[in-house]
Amino acid sequence: MKYFTTVNDVHSVKDLVEDALHFKKDPSCFSNFGKNKTLGLIFLNPSLRTRLSTQKAAMNLGMNVMVMNLDKEGWALEFEDGAIMNGNKAEHIKDAAAVIGQYCDIVGIRCFPGLLSRQEDYSEKVLINFMKHCSIPVVSLESATLHPLQSLADLMTIQETWNKPSKPKVVLSWAPHVKALPQAVANSFSEWMVKSNVDFTITHPAGYELNEEYTKGATITTNQQKGLEGADYVYVKNWSSYMDYGQINCRDEAWMLTKEKLRATNQAKIMHCLPVRRNIEISDQLLDGPDSLTLLQASNRVYAAQAVLKKLIDYRIPEGGNVRVTMGKEKNLS
Ligand code: CP
């Protein structure tokens, strides 16, 4: 695997989850695998979990790690091909990514959407340009549209806590928020769930429909109570409107997940990727209660990243060819 940017980059989701669970049992089982290899972690946006868990995963594999908050510590980046750089952008992505590729064996990048132009955000301009010009394996640390490391840890969390022969019912439930947030976590959770052995429902207010590219196969309802009926897992997340791009069209506090709402569920476990706005998205009572899996999800981020980094270290350029830079469609160009 040269790229980890979407579930479609993964040959076998089942095997990758098993690898992650194996790393959880024995974190140092490949402690020399990344020896003398360098991971670069490039952040254009804030992070707590992704930064620390990916760094720890690399350390467990014996890798060296360099971290850079490129938005604050680097030069302002130009992305347009052929730009006459007479403005305030000091460095072209072509040069910045190519240089980072010289210093690292694998690079991770976090690049949130601007939420101003759907076309621009969904083109993944930053991530794709980075992949194109750095020439080394790339792991997404959350892009404009997807957050695959989070979704792998989420799937791992569901798998390790589910011990019945039947499929669990998993519900992604929209929650209110004070800010307009990306759709990335919701898109990503959905694209991983529809590829997994779960019964998957999404519930959100009208106007919060996600891009169908990620939700095909899910049951979708604007009736939250109906969506929650019989749920074994409720994944709570806010996202801004995809249709009315980047806007907040609903601030209805009634969508917050509370203990009362859970009566319709099958004693559901509560999930959230964090950071969470307490008592806006989910009540304290649920977050601090025995059915909250949020800490387990955060803990599993280390082992999910470890499984992914091992696959990226394993990558060898195919004989006689390069690999085309397209998210989820790795192809031999020879
Ligand atoms: N869940 C998650 O990605 O957390 P951070 O934004 O803190 O990395």
Side-chain angles (χ1 to χ4, degrees):
M1 185 166 74
K2 184 173 183 185
Y3 301 123
F4 183 72
T5 61
T6 156
V7 72
N8 299 318
D9 285 325
V10 178
H11 178 64
S12 164
V13 170
K14 187 171 166 283
D15 289 353
L16 192 60
V17 171
E18 269 169 29
D19 288 352
L21 288 167
H22 185 74
F23 273 121
K24 184 165 186 170
K25 280 201 194 98
D26 187 3
S28 56
C29 63
F30 281 89
S31 59
N32 275 321
F33 199 75
K35 195 163 184 252
N36 298 325
K37 303 268 184 205
T38 299
L39 172 69
L41 297 176
I42 305 297
F43 288 89
L44 295 171
N45 314 96
S47 170
L48 186 158
R49 281 143 288 271
T50 306
R51 177 171 173 159
L52 296 181
S53 62
T54 312
Q55 192 164 354
K56 172 133 190 192
M59 286 154 59
N60 285 349
L61 291 167
M63 297 184 85
N64 302 309
V65 188
M66 298 192 294
V67 185
M68 186 170 183
N69 297 313
L70 192 59
D71 59 327
K72 296 182 190 75
E73 298 157 0
W75 303 105
L77 292 177
E78 174 62 63
F79 287 90
E80 298 311 320
D81 256 345
I84 297 168
M85 291 175 57
N86 58 0
N88 56 4
K89 307 278 177 64
E91 178 154 36
H92 203 282
I93 184 70
K94 278 184 190 182
D95 301 312
V99 168
I100 290 167
Q102 298 296 304
Y103 302 149
C104 303
D105 299 285
I106 297 173
V107 66
I109 181 163
R110 169 164 282 201
C111 46
F112 285 177
L115 293 180
L116 296 173
S117 160
R118 180 165 78 183
Q119 195 186 2
E120 183 168 315
D121 290 345
Y122 275 70
S123 75
E124 290 283 10
K125 183 179 76 171
V126 179
L127 178 64
I128 298 277
N129 266 292
F130 204 83
M131 288 157 73
K132 196 164 141 191
H133 297 296
C134 74
S135 312
I136 57 174
V138 173
V139 51
S140 164
L141 305 174
E142 187 172 340
S143 70
T145 62
L146 294 168
H147 194 358
L149 282 175
Q150 180 66 53
S151 306
L152 174 58
D154 296 336
L155 179 57
M156 185 188 162
T157 305
I158 291 171
Q159 191 159 314
E160 76 169 323
T161 55
W162 184 249
N163 51 16
K164 295 180 189 160
S166 57
K167 286 183 190 182
K169 177 173 176 180
V170 178
V171 179
L172 171 62
S173 186
W174 183 91
H177 204 281
V178 295
K179 275 178 68 182
L181 296 192
Q183 294 106 36
V185 170
N187 286 342
S188 195
F189 187 69
S190 184
E191 75 162 8
W192 283 72
M193 285 302 114
V194 296
K195 285 211 159 189
S196 302
N197 191 30
V198 304
D199 170 3
F200 183 51
T201 294
I202 304 172
T203 182
H204 56 69
Y208 279 84
E209 293 74 15
L210 293 165
N211 183 342
E212 284 176 14
E213 184 182 337
Y214 307 111
T215 62
K216 230 169 267 161
T219 302
I220 301 172
T221 173
T222 53
N223 182 333
Q224 189 187 31
Q225 212 49 39
K226 193 160 170 264
L228 292 175
E229 271 169 25
D232 298 295
Y233 296 86
V234 182
Y235 197 104
V236 181
K237 186 72 187 86
N238 169 269
W239 62 89
S240 59
S241 176
Y242 172 72
M243 307 302 289
D244 188 7
Y245 192 68
Q247 299 302 304
I248 299 178
N249 293 334
C250 172
R251 292 181 189 272
D252 188 352
E253 292 170 12
W255 277 82
M256 177 171 86
L257 197 73
T258 59
K259 194 158 175 133
E260 294 67 46
K261 293 253 177 81
L262 289 186
R263 288 208 187 103
T265 71
N266 188 23
Q267 287 188 302
K269 301 284 185 202
I270 313 306
M271 301 180 74
H272 191 289
C273 61
L274 305 181
V276 63
R277 295 278 181 149
R278 284 174 171 257
N279 305 309
I280 298 283
E281 294 179 84
I282 312 180
S283 67
D284 270 343
Q285 193 183 20
L286 290 185
L287 282 167
D288 298 332
D291 293 322
S292 172
L293 296 182
T294 56
L295 202 55
L296 187 60
Q297 288 171 263
S299 163
N300 282 340
R301 291 289 307 270
V302 174
Y303 312 109
Q306 214 169 323
V308 169
L309 289 176
K310 181 175 178 293
K311 288 229 175 285
L312 296 177
I313 294 169
D314 264 340
Y315 174 75
R316 301 278 178 278
I317 294 171
E319 224 172 276
N322 290 316
V323 168
R324 190 193 303 277
V325 178
T326 44
M327 288 172 70
K329 291 178 189 120
E330 187 175 298
K331 287 197 181 91
N332 191 333
L333 290 180
S334 61

